Amino acid sequence: MVKKITTNKISHDEIIKAESKNLNFFYADGTQALNNVSLPVYENKITALIGPSGCGKSTFLRCFNRMHDLYPGNRYDGQIILQPDNTNILSDGVDPIEVRMRISMVFQKPNPFPKSIYENVAYGLRVRGESNKRSLDEKVEEALKGASLWNEVKDRLQDLAFNLSGGQQQRLCIARALATEPEIMLFDEPTSALDPIATMNIEELMSELKQKLSILIVTHNMQQAARISDYTAYMYLGKLVEFDATNQIFTNPSKKETEDYITGKFG
Amino acid sequence: MTIQNKPAANKNLNSIRKTIANHKRYDFIFASLGTLVIASLTITLLILFLDLVIDGYPRFNLDFFSNFPSRRAARAGILSAWIGSSLVLLVTFIVAVPLGITSGVYLEEYAKKNWFSDLIEINVSNLAGVPSIIYGLLALGLFVYSFGLGQSILTAGLTLALLMLPIVIVSTREAIRAIPVHIREAAYAVGATKWQVCHNHVIPYSYGGILTGVIIGMARAIGETAPIITIGALTFIAFLPPSPIGLEPPFLNFEWLDSGFTVLPIQMFNWISRPQHAFHVNAAATGAVIIMLTLLMNGFAIKLRYNIRKKIKW
């Protein structure tokens, strides 16, 4: 019997796409939501963040596209280094808009704009100044194909996006995030509002997407993390408890807390 | 199997039904009270309106709309008044709407939240409730004397614009606040700048609410009398301002802004203060016209808003 054992050491042929270094985060009211989190995101891999509610995993995710900058008083401390250009995307000198142009995000609740399907996907391109009709058409089609939504909507691109089902809306949001060819895609519990079939579609889609980009996903669903991710990080109370290859975390976690959480004794 | 529990469950069910019936009584009481209040208000308004229409009925003909005011009640019309009202409202609209919307967007999206923005917020909300005569006094001092704009259509339009501005600002802000956070975040997340978010999302999605504010403001402006009297509008006008639209290029002229004028409520006030009954008929007819204009504007706004909201769902 061949038993595949991953060692505790992460193999060194992985390429780091981004890496948080001693990241602390404070909300405007002074609460510290992240405490010294250092975590790599590998290229063309899916990294899952798991942990009980309020452990800071969404807060951590939203640091990667500087979403916290939208609300006054929030403060970052530490670094997130984006490769290959070695940019600290949390630095004051880096425009959050530039960061968002490189790292796109899919939210918990499908949030299409109240515009047409076409306009939803094209919006990221329009924001970048793309106005050539033919080029827009091509990129919209490509993004919708990438989000495996093209066949369902190709005949009604001018329909309003909220006429789609919840699962279709979420794939539309993925297409919107995909159209701008991001380097990293962030998913904040993308399937928590969806039924099992739509969830399965999105999970399959993520596994395809990682050929092209790197994925960081927050999920409440441990089975989901086990199914799709290559690496898993377990967070608790704003701290990173354990980070390792997914099958290592789920079969042989090195920390007691991780094991308790995964086996359902805690959380 | 728990057959022996069945009677107990039945008894339980009866008491549940009784409780529900008891609680539903409050629904009934509240609904009846609401219907009563709404009905009495609507009926009062309807009676007032019908009374005006019946009193003014003899004067409802084309002549009434195409005649200047006259010493002879039967020949007097509201031509100068409705044209005056229209032109004043045009100025009000052009000034108050863009200024109000941009102020609302600025306060909601751009202004830093601190004591200063709080101060502005309190002021704006208060301004919406300031008696209109105060605006009239302000306009008299500022527009008529300091800026030397005279007792013109421009002055009246600007005065009513001041009156309407807080209403538009408040309703714009309310409409913007109603846009869910996740829609705004979606726009920022693809790399939009603040201006792109405002221009492509925030403002288009708030049109419905803004429109409501604009119409409420316009409806208030059309009936305002006090500030217009304060700035010295004439009550008897037997001429028209120069036409804003010309037949020769550049097709637009702006002399009308400087012209003297009267408006519908002033015309009405003028007639009602005469002793002769015949003029009171004219006043009633004018009142009916004002109410109908207001209703028309509101109806138009509701239709527009409905069309806009049909396309927006979160």
Side-chain angles (χ1 to χ4, degrees):
Chain A
M1 198 172 93
V2 184
K3 202 170 169 192
K4 197 181 161 199
I5 298 168
T6 7
T7 56
N8 213 347
K9 296 276 172 286
I10 292 156
S11 58
H12 284 285
D13 44 321
E14 306 285 24
I15 304 161
I16 289 181
K17 180 61 202 168
E19 187 171 20
S20 77
K21 289 181 175 166
N22 301 325
L23 179 61
N24 292 290
F25 179 78
F26 304 86
Y27 279 111
D29 62 1
T31 43
Q32 181 167 9
L34 294 176
N35 197 335
N36 241 7
V37 178
S38 298
L39 183 74
V41 175
Y42 294 109
E43 196 152 301
N44 299 109
K45 299 288 174 210
I46 298 179
T47 306
L49 298 164
I50 59 170
S53 300
C55 71
K57 47 195 195 307
S58 284
T59 306
F60 180 71
L61 188 84
R62 288 161 68 93
C63 290
F64 277 77
N65 65 347
R66 302 270 302 263
M67 225 42 184
H68 299 298
D69 287 44
L70 296 179
Y71 308 97
N74 293 337
R75 190 161 62 81
Y76 310 94
D77 175 40
Q79 297 181 316
I80 295 178
I81 306 291
L82 187 60
Q83 301 296 357
D85 46 318
N86 208 23
T87 310
N88 173 18
I89 58 174
L90 295 183
S91 129
D92 287 335
V94 174
D95 194 323
I97 294 169
E98 178 192 316
V99 177
R100 292 175 201 143
M101 290 208 170
R102 300 180 62 183
I103 302 180
S104 65
M105 181 164 182
V106 175
F107 293 80
Q108 181 170 9
K109 199 180 154 225
N111 56 356
F113 304 127
K115 295 178 188 283
S116 70
I117 293 170
Y118 182 93
E119 279 308 318
N120 262 283
V121 182
Y123 188 65
L125 304 162
R126 290 202 193 278
V127 159
R128 284 158 178 75
E130 179 75 77
S131 59
N132 180 295
K133 177 85 172 72
R134 184 133 44 91
S135 159
L136 274 175
D137 285 352
E138 266 170 31
K139 285 179 176 167
V140 167
E141 178 174 342
E142 200 182 316
L144 283 168
K145 280 178 175 160
S148 25
L149 190 61
W150 175 251
N151 286 331
E152 291 155 70
V153 300
K154 64 177 177 220
D155 301 320
R156 47 177 182 141
L157 290 174
Q158 296 310 322
D159 269 18
L160 288 170
F162 57 69
N163 290 328
L164 297 173
S165 74
Q168 288 173 324
Q169 284 186 18
Q170 194 61 305
R171 275 180 283 151
L172 181 67
C173 293
I174 293 175
R176 178 175 67 193
L178 198 59
T180 54
E181 294 171 358
E183 297 163 44
I184 303 180
M185 233 160 133
L186 310 171
F187 289 84
D188 191 357
E189 297 181 40
T191 60
S192 62
L194 304 180
D195 64 68
I197 291 172
T199 300
M200 203 180 70
N201 287 336
I202 303 259
E203 286 180 5
E204 277 171 11
L205 185 55
M206 280 191 273
S207 304
E208 279 167 35
L209 286 177
K210 75 171 181 182
Q211 319 285 335
K212 288 187 273 190
L213 39 78
S214 317
I215 291 176
L216 185 59
I217 174 176
V218 164
T219 176
H220 255 124
N221 180 335
M222 269 182 285
Q223 284 73 32
Q224 183 168 64
R227 278 195 299 268
I228 60 167
S229 69
D230 303 293
Y231 294 95
T232 299
Y234 170 60
M235 288 179 72
Y236 181 59
L237 294 178
K239 288 185 182 143
L240 178 67
V241 177
E242 187 170 357
F243 171 74
D244 211 330
T246 297
N247 49 9
Q248 187 70 21
I249 287 265
F250 280 92
T251 53
N252 189 16
S254 59
K255 298 258 172 61
K256 180 82 171 54
E257 298 110 289
T258 315
E259 189 181 342
D260 285 351
Y261 182 70
I262 283 163
T263 52
K265 280 184 205 145
F266 163 81
Chain B
M1 290 294 269
T2 51
I3 292 169
Q4 63 269 46
N5 279 349
K6 246 186 156 180
N10 250 338
K11 192 178 143 219
N12 222 338
L13 205 58
N14 274 334
S15 80
I16 287 174
R17 283 180 183 149
K18 222 170 131 187
T19 321
I20 294 173
N22 262 333
H23 291 170
K24 277 200 167 173
R25 203 175 300 150
Y26 291 99
D27 285 344
F28 177 74
I29 293 171
F30 185 75
S32 331
L33 265 175
T35 318
L36 197 77
V37 171
I38 294 257
S40 55
L41 285 175
T42 319
I43 289 169
T44 316
L45 205 68
L46 210 64
I47 290 173
L48 276 172
F49 180 56
L50 280 179
D51 191 46
L52 278 179
V53 170
I54 292 166
D55 283 352
Y57 182 73
R59 301 294 294 131
F60 282 129
N61 51 43
L62 220 57
D63 281 351
F64 186 62
F65 292 92
S66 60
N67 280 357
F68 286 113
S70 157
R71 278 181 294 118
R72 300 225 304 276
R75 281 189 48 195
I78 54 168
L79 180 65
S80 51
W82 74 258
I83 288 186
S85 270
S86 310
L87 293 176
V88 168
L89 278 184
L90 185 68
V91 175
T92 305
F93 184 86
I94 290 171
V95 174
V97 173
L99 208 57
I101 295 176
T102 41
S103 310
V105 171
Y106 173 79
L107 287 173
E108 207 53 39
E109 297 287 321
Y110 282 87
K112 290 221 158 52
K113 303 279 175 282
N114 52 27
W115 63 270
F116 188 66
S117 63
D118 287 347
L119 196 74
I120 293 179
E121 171 149 19
I122 294 169
N123 260 304
V124 169
S125 313
N126 268 337
L127 280 177
V130 166
S132 54
I133 186 98
I134 308 283
Y135 285 98
L137 288 174
L138 170 80
L140 186 67
L142 194 67
F143 299 140
V144 180
Y145 294 132
S146 299
F147 294 174
L149 296 178
Q151 296 154 353
S152 59
I153 290 179
L154 183 62
T155 303
L158 289 175
T159 310
L160 294 184
L162 284 183
L163 204 83
M164 185 174 161
L165 209 50
I167 303 175
V168 178
I169 294 175
V170 169
S171 65
T172 302
R173 299 187 67 180
E174 293 293 329
I176 290 176
R177 276 183 212 159
I179 299 172
V181 169
H182 61 254
I183 295 285
R184 206 183 294 255
E185 287 189 346
Y188 280 114
V190 296
T193 59
K194 204 168 250 194
W195 174 246
Q196 285 169 327
V197 173
C198 289
H199 177 242
N200 301 329
H201 302 281
V202 169
I203 298 176
Y205 304 160
S206 344
Y207 275 150
I210 293 174
L211 204 70
T212 312
V214 167
I215 294 294
I216 292 174
M218 295 286 279
R220 183 170 173 198
I222 199 179
E224 270 311 333
T225 327
I228 309 269
I229 290 181
T230 318
I231 60 169
L234 305 172
T235 48
F236 188 94
I237 292 255
F239 60 87
L240 288 183
S243 165
I245 302 162
L247 288 173
E248 289 142 33
F251 301 112
L252 289 174
N253 76 66
F254 294 100
E255 284 165 37
W256 57 278
L257 286 172
D258 205 27
S259 167
F261 68 100
T262 191
V263 290
L264 286 165
I266 290 187
Q267 186 66 71
M268 186 178 168
F269 174 70
N270 177 22
W271 278 331
I272 204 81
S273 44
R274 301 244 187 150
Q276 301 94 325
H277 176 72
F279 279 111
H280 295 173
V281 173
N282 285 355
T286 315
V289 169
I290 295 175
I291 292 183
M292 274 189 278
L293 273 177
T294 314
L295 284 179
L296 219 67
M297 278 162 61
N298 280 332
F300 181 64
I302 289 169
K303 173 73 185 140
L304 258 178
R305 195 174 53 188
Y306 174 77
N307 286 349
I308 291 169
R309 294 220 168 134
K310 217 167 44 182
K311 290 195 198 124
I312 292 179
K313 210 155 73 182
W314 319 112

